[in-house]
DNA sequence: GCTATATATCGTAATATTACGATATAAGGT
DNA sequence: ACCTTATATCGTAATATTACGATATATAGC
């Protein structure tokens, strides 16, 4: 056991879970905020900004990339990361939909 | 190792990460959608709705409760779960803020 | 108090995540 | 080709998550 039963859920549910999971770590929130703030999408400056080692930051960047939230362009010897607009707006839309589907205060 | 360095990040970053992490599993997305759909916030019917065992569902409910997204009222022999309005709108606001802070398409 | 039903918790096993140092890879400059 | 710099990957260790069956707990009804 210990393996998420993805096949048992809908595509939409799995997609949303993947996106939310990628946001489910303070370091990754911090990375995204930093990428948004410094529009120039400075690359390895993230390592200096975060209280984590270079390899750990690289791992978090990889996960954000896997989820599709960011993309990385090679730029000389370094890599330039930035928000992937398409997935970003998709994530926003999906989460908005979930949050907005709750209207009335239920029963308890 | 293997322990998230929560102290190194801001309160807001950690809070958002906790909320997102709670949403980071398809079963928990399914549970929330079900709770919203059946306004009567039927309790253990969730177990019948999901392709998971009773104990596993109970574990997921516990995590959603820990994150504050839902609350459970004892109602006779069973428990009535429903969305916790306060945390729900807080989560919505925090995520909205993150998503909306991205405007221009960066560089790459 | 006993019984049935509904949830929660415990114990356990498998897999995943987080983190780091060390090492590998890739690109630019000399 | 060599060196430097920037990132990525590997190996490893600790902790967390996911899942289930079995057992405990709690409440209503008898």
């Amino acid at each position: 056991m210990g393996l998420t039963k993805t096949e048992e859920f809908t595509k939409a549910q799995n997609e949303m879970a993947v996106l939310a999971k990628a946001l489910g770590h303070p370091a990754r929130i911090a990375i995204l905020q930093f990428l948004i703030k410094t529009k120039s999408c400075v690359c390895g400056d993230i390592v200096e900004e975060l209280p984590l080692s270079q390899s750990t930051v690289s791992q978090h960047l990889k996960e954000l990339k896997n989820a599709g939230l960011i993309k990385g362009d090679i730029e000389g010897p370094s890599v330039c990361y930035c928000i992937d607009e398409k997935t970003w707006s998709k994530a926003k839309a999906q989460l908005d939909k979930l949050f907005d589907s709750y209207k009335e205060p239920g029963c308890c």
Side-chain angles (χ1 to χ4, degrees), chain A:
Chain A
M1 291 120 211
L3 218 173
T4 299
K5 290 182 154 183
T6 41
E7 44 336 311
E8 306 274 11
F9 300 98
T10 69
K11 194 162 170 267
Q13 287 168 338
N14 278 302
E15 277 179 6
M16 209 185 316
V18 166
L19 291 167
K21 200 176 184 181
L23 296 173
H25 194 289
R28 292 196 286 270
I29 297 285
I31 289 173
L32 292 171
Q33 289 174 332
F34 186 71
L35 286 181
I36 291 170
K37 193 179 66 182
T38 68
K39 292 173 201 172
S40 43
C41 85
V42 213
C43 13
D45 298 357
I46 305 166
V47 177
E48 294 194 8
E49 194 74 3
L50 293 192
L52 297 170
S53 75
Q54 182 264 322
S55 56
T56 304
V57 171
S58 185
Q59 222 175 134
H60 282 304
L61 286 168
K62 194 181 174 184
E63 277 175 71
L64 286 170
K65 217 160 98 183
N66 282 343
L69 288 170
I70 64 172
K71 56 184 174 179
D73 275 14
I74 295 166
E75 193 164 274
S78 53
V79 176
C80 170
Y81 281 106
C82 53
I83 302 292
D84 187 325
E85 205 175 1
K86 206 177 161 189
T87 315
W88 189 260
S89 51
K90 189 179 170 184
K92 179 179 161 53
Q94 282 187 323
L95 287 169
D96 263 359
K97 193 180 162 194
L98 175 67
F99 280 109
D100 289 339
S101 65
Y102 170 72
K103 297 263 167 54
E104 292 108 84
C107 64
C108 38

Short mmCIF file of all heavy atoms in Angstrom, two decimals, chain A residues 11-63:
data_model
loop_
_atom_site.label_atom_id
_atom_site.label_comp_id
_atom_site.label_asym_id
_atom_site.label_seq_id
_atom_site.Cartn_x
_atom_site.Cartn_y
_atom_site.Cartn_z
N LYS A 11 -10.29 12.56 -14.12
CA LYS A 11 -9.13 13.28 -14.65
C LYS A 11 -9.04 14.66 -14.01
O LYS A 11 -7.97 15.09 -13.59
CB LYS A 11 -9.27 13.40 -16.17
CG LYS A 11 -8.03 13.82 -16.91
CD LYS A 11 -8.13 13.49 -18.40
CE LYS A 11 -7.00 14.13 -19.19
NZ LYS A 11 -7.35 15.47 -19.74
N ALA A 12 -10.18 15.32 -13.92
CA ALA A 12 -10.21 16.67 -13.35
C ALA A 12 -9.77 16.66 -11.89
O ALA A 12 -9.01 17.53 -11.45
CB ALA A 12 -11.62 17.26 -13.47
N GLN A 13 -10.23 15.67 -11.15
CA GLN A 13 -9.86 15.58 -9.73
C GLN A 13 -8.36 15.35 -9.58
O GLN A 13 -7.70 15.96 -8.75
CB GLN A 13 -10.65 14.46 -9.05
CG GLN A 13 -12.11 14.81 -8.82
CD GLN A 13 -12.95 13.61 -8.42
OE1 GLN A 13 -12.58 12.46 -8.66
NE2 GLN A 13 -14.09 13.88 -7.81
N ASN A 14 -7.83 14.49 -10.42
CA ASN A 14 -6.39 14.22 -10.36
C ASN A 14 -5.56 15.43 -10.77
O ASN A 14 -4.54 15.74 -10.14
CB ASN A 14 -6.04 13.02 -11.24
CG ASN A 14 -6.31 11.70 -10.54
OD1 ASN A 14 -5.76 11.43 -9.47
ND2 ASN A 14 -7.15 10.87 -11.12
N GLU A 15 -6.02 16.12 -11.80
CA GLU A 15 -5.29 17.31 -12.27
C GLU A 15 -5.24 18.38 -11.19
O GLU A 15 -4.19 18.97 -10.93
CB GLU A 15 -5.98 17.88 -13.51
CG GLU A 15 -5.57 17.20 -14.80
CD GLU A 15 -6.30 17.79 -16.01
OE1 GLU A 15 -7.03 18.79 -15.84
OE2 GLU A 15 -6.14 17.22 -17.10
N MET A 16 -6.39 18.59 -10.57
CA MET A 16 -6.44 19.61 -9.53
C MET A 16 -5.55 19.21 -8.36
O MET A 16 -4.85 20.05 -7.79
CB MET A 16 -7.88 19.82 -9.06
CG MET A 16 -8.11 21.24 -8.58
SD MET A 16 -9.74 21.52 -7.88
CE MET A 16 -10.81 20.73 -9.03
N ALA A 17 -5.58 17.94 -8.01
CA ALA A 17 -4.76 17.45 -6.90
C ALA A 17 -3.27 17.63 -7.19
O ALA A 17 -2.51 18.05 -6.31
CB ALA A 17 -5.08 15.98 -6.63
N VAL A 18 -2.87 17.37 -8.42
CA VAL A 18 -1.46 17.53 -8.80
C VAL A 18 -1.03 18.99 -8.65
O VAL A 18 0.03 19.29 -8.10
CB VAL A 18 -1.22 17.04 -10.24
CG1 VAL A 18 0.14 17.52 -10.76
CG2 VAL A 18 -1.28 15.52 -10.30
N LEU A 19 -1.88 19.90 -9.13
CA LEU A 19 -1.57 21.32 -9.03
C LEU A 19 -1.52 21.78 -7.58
O LEU A 19 -0.59 22.49 -7.17
CB LEU A 19 -2.61 22.14 -9.81
CG LEU A 19 -2.55 21.97 -11.33
CD1 LEU A 19 -3.78 22.56 -11.99
CD2 LEU A 19 -1.29 22.61 -11.88
N ALA A 20 -2.50 21.35 -6.79
CA ALA A 20 -2.54 21.75 -5.39
C ALA A 20 -1.35 21.18 -4.63
O ALA A 20 -0.75 21.84 -3.79
CB ALA A 20 -3.84 21.29 -4.74
N LYS A 21 -1.01 19.96 -4.97
CA LYS A 21 0.12 19.30 -4.30
C LYS A 21 1.41 20.09 -4.56
O LYS A 21 2.24 20.24 -3.66
CB LYS A 21 0.27 17.88 -4.82
CG LYS A 21 1.05 16.97 -3.92
CD LYS A 21 1.04 15.55 -4.48
CE LYS A 21 1.74 14.57 -3.58
NZ LYS A 21 1.73 13.22 -4.17
N ALA A 22 1.56 20.56 -5.79
CA ALA A 22 2.75 21.34 -6.13
C ALA A 22 2.81 22.62 -5.30
O ALA A 22 3.90 23.11 -4.97
CB ALA A 22 2.75 21.66 -7.62
N LEU A 23 1.66 23.15 -4.94
CA LEU A 23 1.60 24.37 -4.12
C LEU A 23 1.72 24.04 -2.64
O LEU A 23 1.81 24.93 -1.80
CB LEU A 23 0.28 25.11 -4.36
CG LEU A 23 0.03 25.66 -5.77
CD1 LEU A 23 -1.38 26.20 -5.86
CD2 LEU A 23 1.03 26.75 -6.12
N GLY A 24 1.75 22.76 -2.33
CA GLY A 24 1.70 22.32 -0.95
C GLY A 24 3.01 22.28 -0.20
O GLY A 24 3.22 21.42 0.64
N HIS A 25 3.90 23.21 -0.49
CA HIS A 25 5.14 23.32 0.26
C HIS A 25 5.58 24.78 0.31
O HIS A 25 5.62 25.43 -0.72
CB HIS A 25 6.24 22.46 -0.39
CG HIS A 25 7.43 22.28 0.51
ND1 HIS A 25 8.30 23.29 0.79
CD2 HIS A 25 7.84 21.21 1.22
CE1 HIS A 25 9.23 22.84 1.62
NE2 HIS A 25 8.97 21.58 1.90
N PRO A 26 5.88 25.27 1.51
CA PRO A 26 6.22 26.69 1.64
C PRO A 26 7.36 27.14 0.73
O PRO A 26 7.33 28.27 0.22
CB PRO A 26 6.59 26.83 3.13
CG PRO A 26 6.77 25.44 3.65
CD PRO A 26 5.88 24.59 2.82
N ALA A 27 8.33 26.28 0.50
CA ALA A 27 9.44 26.65 -0.38
C ALA A 27 8.94 26.91 -1.79
O ALA A 27 9.40 27.83 -2.47
CB ALA A 27 10.49 25.53 -0.38
N ARG A 28 7.98 26.10 -2.22
CA ARG A 28 7.49 26.27 -3.59
C ARG A 28 6.61 27.51 -3.70
O ARG A 28 6.60 28.18 -4.73
CB ARG A 28 6.77 25.00 -4.04
CG ARG A 28 7.76 23.83 -4.19
CD ARG A 28 7.20 22.69 -4.99
NE ARG A 28 6.21 21.91 -4.27
CZ ARG A 28 6.48 20.84 -3.51
NH1 ARG A 28 7.73 20.42 -3.39
NH2 ARG A 28 5.54 20.19 -2.90
N ILE A 29 5.87 27.80 -2.64
CA ILE A 29 5.12 29.06 -2.62
C ILE A 29 6.11 30.22 -2.72
O ILE A 29 5.93 31.15 -3.52
CB ILE A 29 4.30 29.19 -1.30
CG1 ILE A 29 3.25 28.08 -1.18
CG2 ILE A 29 3.66 30.57 -1.20
CD1 ILE A 29 2.04 28.23 -2.05
N ALA A 30 7.16 30.15 -1.94
CA ALA A 30 8.17 31.21 -1.93
C ALA A 30 8.82 31.36 -3.30
O ALA A 30 9.05 32.49 -3.77
CB ALA A 30 9.22 30.91 -0.87
N ILE A 31 9.11 30.25 -3.96
CA ILE A 31 9.71 30.29 -5.29
C ILE A 31 8.77 31.00 -6.28
O ILE A 31 9.19 31.88 -7.03
CB ILE A 31 10.04 28.87 -5.80
CG1 ILE A 31 11.21 28.28 -5.01
CG2 ILE A 31 10.35 28.88 -7.30
CD1 ILE A 31 11.49 26.82 -5.31
N LEU A 32 7.51 30.62 -6.24
CA LEU A 32 6.54 31.21 -7.17
C LEU A 32 6.40 32.71 -6.91
O LEU A 32 6.40 33.51 -7.85
CB LEU A 32 5.18 30.52 -7.02
CG LEU A 32 5.15 29.06 -7.51
CD1 LEU A 32 3.84 28.39 -7.12
CD2 LEU A 32 5.37 28.99 -9.01
N GLN A 33 6.31 33.09 -5.64
CA GLN A 33 6.19 34.51 -5.31
C GLN A 33 7.42 35.28 -5.80
O GLN A 33 7.30 36.39 -6.30
CB GLN A 33 6.03 34.68 -3.78
CG GLN A 33 4.69 34.20 -3.28
CD GLN A 33 4.59 34.23 -1.76
OE1 GLN A 33 5.60 34.11 -1.06
NE2 GLN A 33 3.38 34.37 -1.24
N PHE A 34 8.58 34.65 -5.66
CA PHE A 34 9.82 35.30 -6.09
C PHE A 34 9.85 35.46 -7.61
O PHE A 34 10.23 36.52 -8.14
CB PHE A 34 11.02 34.48 -5.61
CG PHE A 34 12.34 35.13 -5.88
CD1 PHE A 34 12.75 36.25 -5.18
CD2 PHE A 34 13.19 34.61 -6.85
CE1 PHE A 34 13.97 36.85 -5.43
CE2 PHE A 34 14.41 35.19 -7.11
CZ PHE A 34 14.81 36.32 -6.41
N LEU A 35 9.43 34.42 -8.31
CA LEU A 35 9.39 34.48 -9.78
C LEU A 35 8.44 35.56 -10.27
O LEU A 35 8.70 36.22 -11.27
CB LEU A 35 8.97 33.13 -10.36
CG LEU A 35 10.00 32.00 -10.32
CD1 LEU A 35 9.43 30.75 -10.95
CD2 LEU A 35 11.29 32.41 -11.01
N ILE A 36 7.33 35.72 -9.56
CA ILE A 36 6.35 36.73 -9.95
C ILE A 36 6.88 38.13 -9.65
O ILE A 36 6.74 39.04 -10.46
CB ILE A 36 5.02 36.48 -9.21
CG1 ILE A 36 4.37 35.19 -9.74
CG2 ILE A 36 4.08 37.67 -9.40
CD1 ILE A 36 3.18 34.72 -8.94
N LYS A 37 7.50 38.26 -8.48
CA LYS A 37 7.99 39.56 -8.05
C LYS A 37 9.09 40.08 -8.98
O LYS A 37 9.01 41.20 -9.49
CB LYS A 37 8.53 39.45 -6.62
CG LYS A 37 8.77 40.79 -5.95
CD LYS A 37 9.29 40.60 -4.51
CE LYS A 37 10.68 39.97 -4.50
NZ LYS A 37 11.19 39.73 -3.13
N THR A 38 10.10 39.24 -9.21
CA THR A 38 11.19 39.65 -10.09
C THR A 38 10.84 39.21 -11.50
O THR A 38 11.19 38.13 -11.93
CB THR A 38 12.51 38.99 -9.66
OG1 THR A 38 12.40 37.60 -9.91
CG2 THR A 38 12.80 39.20 -8.21
N LYS A 39 10.16 40.08 -12.18
CA LYS A 39 9.62 39.73 -13.50
C LYS A 39 10.70 39.24 -14.46
O LYS A 39 10.45 38.50 -15.39
CB LYS A 39 8.94 40.96 -14.11
CG LYS A 39 7.68 41.35 -13.38
CD LYS A 39 7.15 42.67 -13.93
CE LYS A 39 6.24 43.34 -12.92
NZ LYS A 39 5.86 44.70 -13.31
N SER A 40 11.93 39.73 -14.22
CA SER A 40 13.03 39.33 -15.07
C SER A 40 13.33 37.84 -14.95
O SER A 40 14.23 37.34 -15.59
CB SER A 40 14.28 40.14 -14.70
OG SER A 40 14.41 40.21 -13.31
N CYS A 41 12.57 37.15 -14.11
CA CYS A 41 12.66 35.71 -13.91
C CYS A 41 14.10 35.22 -13.74
O CYS A 41 14.53 34.27 -14.34
CB CYS A 41 11.91 34.94 -14.99
SG CYS A 41 12.70 34.57 -16.53
N VAL A 42 14.80 35.88 -12.84
CA VAL A 42 16.17 35.52 -12.55
C VAL A 42 16.23 34.08 -12.08
O VAL A 42 15.36 33.64 -11.34
CB VAL A 42 16.75 36.45 -11.45
CG1 VAL A 42 18.21 36.67 -11.68
CG2 VAL A 42 15.99 37.74 -11.39
N CYS A 43 17.23 33.43 -12.51
CA CYS A 43 17.33 31.97 -12.37
C CYS A 43 17.81 31.51 -11.00
O CYS A 43 17.04 31.38 -10.06
CB CYS A 43 18.24 31.48 -13.46
SG CYS A 43 19.16 32.81 -14.25
N GLY A 44 19.11 31.29 -10.90
CA GLY A 44 19.67 30.69 -9.70
C GLY A 44 19.71 31.64 -8.52
O GLY A 44 20.15 31.26 -7.44
N ASP A 45 19.21 32.86 -8.72
CA ASP A 45 19.10 33.79 -7.59
C ASP A 45 18.14 33.23 -6.56
O ASP A 45 18.17 33.62 -5.39
CB ASP A 45 18.61 35.15 -8.07
CG ASP A 45 19.58 35.78 -9.04
OD1 ASP A 45 20.65 35.18 -9.28
OD2 ASP A 45 19.29 36.87 -9.54
N ILE A 46 17.28 32.33 -7.02
CA ILE A 46 16.32 31.70 -6.12
C ILE A 46 17.07 30.98 -5.00
O ILE A 46 16.67 31.02 -3.84
CB ILE A 46 15.46 30.67 -6.89
CG1 ILE A 46 14.80 31.34 -8.09
CG2 ILE A 46 14.44 30.05 -5.98
CD1 ILE A 46 14.22 30.36 -9.08
N VAL A 47 18.17 30.33 -5.36
CA VAL A 47 18.95 29.60 -4.37
C VAL A 47 19.43 30.54 -3.27
O VAL A 47 19.38 30.21 -2.08
CB VAL A 47 20.16 28.89 -5.03
CG1 VAL A 47 21.01 28.19 -3.98
CG2 VAL A 47 19.68 27.89 -6.07
N GLU A 48 19.88 31.74 -3.68
CA GLU A 48 20.36 32.69 -2.69
C GLU A 48 19.23 33.24 -1.85
O GLU A 48 19.42 33.59 -0.69
CB GLU A 48 21.10 33.85 -3.39
CG GLU A 48 22.36 33.37 -4.08
CD GLU A 48 23.27 34.51 -4.48
OE1 GLU A 48 22.97 35.66 -4.09
OE2 GLU A 48 24.27 34.26 -5.18
N GLU A 49 18.05 33.31 -2.43
CA GLU A 49 16.89 33.86 -1.74
C GLU A 49 16.34 32.88 -0.71
O GLU A 49 15.81 33.28 0.31
CB GLU A 49 15.81 34.19 -2.78
CG GLU A 49 14.68 35.05 -2.29
CD GLU A 49 15.09 36.53 -2.13
OE1 GLU A 49 16.24 36.88 -2.45
OE2 GLU A 49 14.24 37.31 -1.65
N LEU A 50 16.46 31.62 -0.98
CA LEU A 50 15.86 30.61 -0.10
C LEU A 50 16.85 30.03 0.90
O LEU A 50 18.04 29.95 0.62
CB LEU A 50 15.26 29.48 -0.94
CG LEU A 50 14.06 29.80 -1.82
CD1 LEU A 50 13.46 28.50 -2.34
CD2 LEU A 50 13.01 30.59 -1.09
N PRO A 51 16.33 29.60 2.05
CA PRO A 51 17.17 29.02 3.09
C PRO A 51 17.41 27.52 2.86
O PRO A 51 17.41 26.75 3.80
CB PRO A 51 16.34 29.26 4.35
CG PRO A 51 14.94 29.17 3.88
CD PRO A 51 14.93 29.69 2.47
N LEU A 52 17.58 27.15 1.63
CA LEU A 52 17.75 25.73 1.31
C LEU A 52 18.95 25.57 0.39
O LEU A 52 19.38 26.52 -0.26
CB LEU A 52 16.49 25.21 0.59
CG LEU A 52 15.18 25.24 1.38
CD1 LEU A 52 14.02 24.94 0.46
CD2 LEU A 52 15.23 24.24 2.52
N SER A 53 19.47 24.38 0.34
CA SER A 53 20.64 24.13 -0.49
C SER A 53 20.27 24.15 -1.97
O SER A 53 19.10 24.06 -2.34
CB SER A 53 21.24 22.77 -0.14
OG SER A 53 20.45 21.75 -0.67
N GLN A 54 21.30 24.26 -2.79
CA GLN A 54 21.08 24.34 -4.23
C GLN A 54 20.36 23.10 -4.76
O GLN A 54 19.44 23.21 -5.57
CB GLN A 54 22.44 24.51 -4.93
CG GLN A 54 22.36 24.66 -6.44
CD GLN A 54 22.58 23.33 -7.14
OE1 GLN A 54 23.41 22.52 -6.72
NE2 GLN A 54 21.85 23.10 -8.20
N SER A 55 20.76 21.95 -4.28
CA SER A 55 20.15 20.72 -4.80
C SER A 55 18.68 20.61 -4.40
O SER A 55 17.85 20.14 -5.18
CB SER A 55 20.92 19.49 -4.34
OG SER A 55 21.03 19.44 -2.95
N THR A 56 18.36 21.06 -3.20
CA THR A 56 16.97 21.01 -2.74
C THR A 56 16.11 21.97 -3.55
O THR A 56 15.00 21.62 -3.96
CB THR A 56 16.88 21.36 -1.24
OG1 THR A 56 17.74 20.48 -0.52
CG2 THR A 56 15.48 21.21 -0.73
N VAL A 57 16.63 23.16 -3.80
CA VAL A 57 15.89 24.13 -4.61
C VAL A 57 15.65 23.57 -6.01
O VAL A 57 14.55 23.67 -6.55
CB VAL A 57 16.65 25.47 -4.68
CG1 VAL A 57 16.00 26.41 -5.68
CG2 VAL A 57 16.70 26.12 -3.31
N SER A 58 16.68 22.94 -6.55
CA SER A 58 16.57 22.35 -7.88
C SER A 58 15.46 21.31 -7.92
O SER A 58 14.72 21.20 -8.89
CB SER A 58 17.91 21.72 -8.27
OG SER A 58 17.88 21.24 -9.58
N GLN A 59 15.37 20.55 -6.83
CA GLN A 59 14.34 19.53 -6.73
C GLN A 59 12.94 20.17 -6.71
O GLN A 59 12.02 19.67 -7.38
CB GLN A 59 14.56 18.75 -5.42
CG GLN A 59 14.37 17.25 -5.54
CD GLN A 59 14.73 16.55 -4.24
OE1 GLN A 59 14.01 15.71 -3.78
NE2 GLN A 59 15.85 16.92 -3.62
N HIS A 60 12.79 21.23 -5.95
CA HIS A 60 11.50 21.92 -5.90
C HIS A 60 11.14 22.52 -7.25
O HIS A 60 9.98 22.47 -7.66
CB HIS A 60 11.54 23.02 -4.83
CG HIS A 60 11.41 22.51 -3.43
ND1 HIS A 60 10.35 21.74 -3.01
CD2 HIS A 60 12.21 22.64 -2.35
CE1 HIS A 60 10.50 21.42 -1.74
NE2 HIS A 60 11.62 21.95 -1.31
N LEU A 61 12.14 23.08 -7.94
CA LEU A 61 11.90 23.64 -9.26
C LEU A 61 11.43 22.54 -10.22
O LEU A 61 10.53 22.75 -11.03
CB LEU A 61 13.17 24.29 -9.80
CG LEU A 61 13.57 25.62 -9.16
CD1 LEU A 61 14.98 26.01 -9.56
CD2 LEU A 61 12.59 26.71 -9.54
N LYS A 62 12.02 21.38 -10.08
CA LYS A 62 11.64 20.25 -10.92
C LYS A 62 10.18 19.87 -10.70
O LYS A 62 9.45 19.59 -11.66
CB LYS A 62 12.55 19.06 -10.60
CG LYS A 62 12.49 17.95 -11.61
CD LYS A 62 13.41 16.82 -11.16
CE LYS A 62 13.30 15.60 -12.05
NZ LYS A 62 14.14 14.49 -11.52
N GLU A 63 9.77 19.90 -9.45
CA GLU A 63 8.38 19.52 -9.14
C GLU A 63 7.40 20.56 -9.67
O GLU A 63 6.33 20.20 -10.17
CB GLU A 63 8.21 19.33 -7.64
CG GLU A 63 8.66 17.95 -7.21
CD GLU A 63 8.62 17.79 -5.71
OE1 GLU A 63 7.51 17.74 -5.16
OE2 GLU A 63 9.69 17.72 -5.09
#
